[in-house]
Amino acid sequence: MQGHEALCPRLYLSLITRMVVKIRAGQIHHSQVVHKTQPLIVPPPKTSHMIKVAINGYGTIGKRVADAVAAQPDMKVIGVSKTKPSHEAFIAKSRGYPLYIADISKKAAFEKANLPVTGSVEDMLKAADIVVDATPGGVGEKNKPIYEKLGIKAIWQGGEEHEVAGFSFNSDCNYKDAIGKQFARVVSCNTTGLCRIINAMDKAYGVEKVRAVMVRRGGDPADIKRGPIDAIVLNPVNIPSHHGPDVQSVLPHINIVTLAMIVPVTMMHMHAVQMDLKRDASREKVIGIIEKHPRMGLVRKATDITSTSELKEYAMDMGRSRSDLWENGIFEESISCIGKEMYLFQAIHQEADVVVENIDCIRAMMGTEKDPAKSVAITNKALNFVAI
């Protein structure tokens, strides 16, 4: 026996058990186990100048951003906020995140549930360098006056209008423009996915125009109040949908029209994308561009994956935290080039792809890393994130 196998069976089993636990927790990427010669990716030690991040709204996006912040070598979670006791509040407690509440009069209800309250949201903001506002769409705008009052930097999510921050962010497209800004908005999950592929093709070929259909999930898995249950809903009926103008808030020169509908699924969105390029494209080169991109992945023909549910199962089996897909899942077989026309299908995990964007936006706004490629690399490495 060689390597680990030369150890006594009990110790070897212990090592394997710990490895499995780390994979399931998302601390180790599956490829690090499959490829024995690849060294384990261990986040570097925390630096002495840590960015203190507040998470206002610890829900679907907020809890993921909090975990991503905690994994970074240059950031720490100063606190998270909730409006009422919930299972997510208990997770925050188990993670060791200080819990703050919007209405301090509800403190007794939290403490009755054995959820210690550190203070009010304003207390949390005063202790932070920057806040990630992950409150429901429309609520974030109402929080802006307190951010202005305290002079704190703030990041909103795609559920808010562009005008709330006056600047919409995507790591690929305009990282350097965010350096030093007080306010920014990370664009929505769909817009994030579109910006990545459009920007990559624009750099390689130039983009004449984009036409894309968004087949959107009805609600997140835990979002029991949303639907539809048995319908396909045009959302909106009019064309274009908001996704095209949202892309233009980041890439203003792109001619894009989008259409959108909601279907009764919870897993992911699916995009059917068609681009007219300025030069002839080859399928092989497009695949090569995607393969080199740190946040675009290819769903290979060999995996036999043809659906979003199978793709999510794949992420779960890889040991991804919460089975998250931070990358675009571009179906290899769908990529087609006919002269200057390019077509593809891509799956977008609505709960996850913006998480890494928030981390890069924090660095840009704080001015601690001015090179977008370096920030992306730091973020991905800390999360053990290698695109599929």
Side-chain angles (χ1 to χ4, degrees):
M1 300 193 344
Q2 297 178 352
H4 287 159
E5 293 166 312
L7 300 173
C8 71
R10 182 175 295 177
L11 179 56
Y12 180 56
L13 179 60
S14 175
L15 286 170
I16 293 298
T17 301
R18 277 183 280 171
M19 184 77 76
V20 170
V21 169
K22 287 184 177 182
I23 291 171
R24 288 177 175 171
Q27 296 171 359
I28 296 178
H29 189 269
H30 75 106
S31 62
Q32 296 169 284
V33 178
V34 175
H35 307 295
K36 294 182 180 179
T37 58
Q38 181 177 337
L40 297 183
I41 298 175
V42 179
K46 298 289 185 178
T47 65
S48 56
H49 302 290
M50 304 288 284
I51 301 170
K52 295 177 288 186
V53 183
I55 311 294
N56 195 8
Y58 189 76
T60 300
I61 299 298
K63 65 187 179 184
R64 287 171 164 85
V65 172
D67 287 352
V69 166
Q72 302 305 308
D74 53 351
M75 303 178 191
K76 66 177 180 179
V77 177
I78 206 71
V80 303
S81 76
K82 290 298 292 181
T83 57
K84 62 182 180 181
S86 68
H87 66 279
E88 288 159 337
F90 283 99
I91 293 298
K93 177 185 174 182
S94 73
R95 296 277 203 272
Y97 302 146
L99 185 62
Y100 294 82
I101 58 177
D103 184 353
I104 203 69
S105 68
K106 295 181 179 178
K107 182 178 180 180
F110 280 84
E111 294 185 338
K112 184 179 180 181
N114 196 26
L115 291 166
V117 173
T118 304
S120 68
V121 167
E122 186 165 342
D123 294 331
M124 176 179 71
L125 297 175
K126 288 176 179 177
D129 297 316
I130 190 167
V131 57
V132 174
D133 190 306
T135 56
V139 176
E141 181 179 8
K142 297 174 182 176
N143 292 331
K144 186 175 181 179
I146 190 171
Y147 303 153
E148 290 176 319
K149 170 189 165 186
L150 297 175
I152 190 172
K153 292 177 182 286
I155 299 171
W156 285 272
Q157 307 307 304
E160 304 299 334
E161 298 294 330
H162 168 80
E163 290 72 23
V164 172
F167 175 78
S168 293
F169 176 87
N170 178 268
S171 301
D172 264 12
C173 305
N174 61 359
Y175 181 100
K176 291 184 178 180
D177 295 334
I179 293 173
K181 284 196 177 292
Q182 183 180 2
F183 297 140
R185 164 186 172 264
V186 169
V187 292
S188 73
C189 51
N190 282 311
T191 303
T192 293
L194 286 170
C195 283
R196 288 172 181 169
I197 186 65
I198 292 169
N199 190 54
M201 293 302 104
D202 195 36
K203 286 180 177 178
Y205 298 104
V207 171
E208 195 69 48
K209 68 179 181 181
V210 180
R211 301 294 180 260
V213 177
M214 317 285 104
V215 183
R216 303 169 61 197
R217 61 88 181 97
D220 293 335
D223 197 354
I224 61 174
K225 296 180 289 186
R226 296 180 68 172
I229 293 175
D230 186 15
I232 297 174
V233 180
L234 300 178
N235 185 262
V237 176
N238 58 292
I239 299 170
S241 66
H242 73 272
H243 306 93
D246 207 23
V247 167
Q248 290 172 327
S249 73
V250 176
L251 296 168
H253 65 287
I254 295 295
N255 176 353
I256 179 170
V257 175
T258 53
L259 302 79
M261 65 190 77
I262 295 175
V263 295
V265 299
T266 63
M267 291 292 185
M268 301 176 77
H269 304 302
M270 183 69 78
H271 297 175
V273 180
Q274 184 264 320
M275 294 189 207
D276 287 359
L277 306 174
K278 293 182 179 179
R279 296 187 298 279
D280 286 356
S282 74
R283 182 174 185 272
E284 292 71 24
K285 185 175 178 182
V286 169
I287 288 174
I289 291 168
I290 294 167
E291 286 176 326
K292 292 176 183 176
H293 195 286
R295 290 182 182 166
M296 290 196 290
L298 283 170
V299 183
R300 302 281 184 179
K301 178 181 179 180
T303 64
D304 200 31
I305 293 172
T306 60
S307 69
T308 54
S309 57
E310 292 168 311
L311 186 52
K312 281 281 286 176
E313 181 81 3
Y314 184 45
M316 187 182 302
D317 289 343
M318 285 193 297
R320 288 281 186 92
S321 175
R322 298 188 177 90
S323 67
D324 282 349
L325 284 150
W326 298 296
E327 66 269 58
N328 297 25
I330 299 173
F331 287 78
E332 180 186 27
E333 285 188 276
S334 74
I335 300 169
S336 179
C337 296
I338 306 170
K340 296 179 181 178
E341 297 180 6
M342 189 202 72
Y343 303 85
L344 58 80
F345 285 119
Q346 65 175 7
I348 301 296
H349 185 191
Q350 75 280 359
E351 300 169 298
D353 72 341
V354 299
V355 171
V356 289
E357 301 289 325
N358 273 271
I359 301 302
D360 294 328
C361 192
I362 290 169
R363 279 198 196 92
M365 291 173 66
M366 294 302 299
T368 55
E369 179 52 72
K370 295 180 170 58
D371 184 333
K374 288 182 179 179
S375 179
V376 168
I378 293 168
T379 300
N380 287 12
K381 182 177 181 180
L383 295 172
N384 300 306
F385 166 31
V386 179
I388 57 175

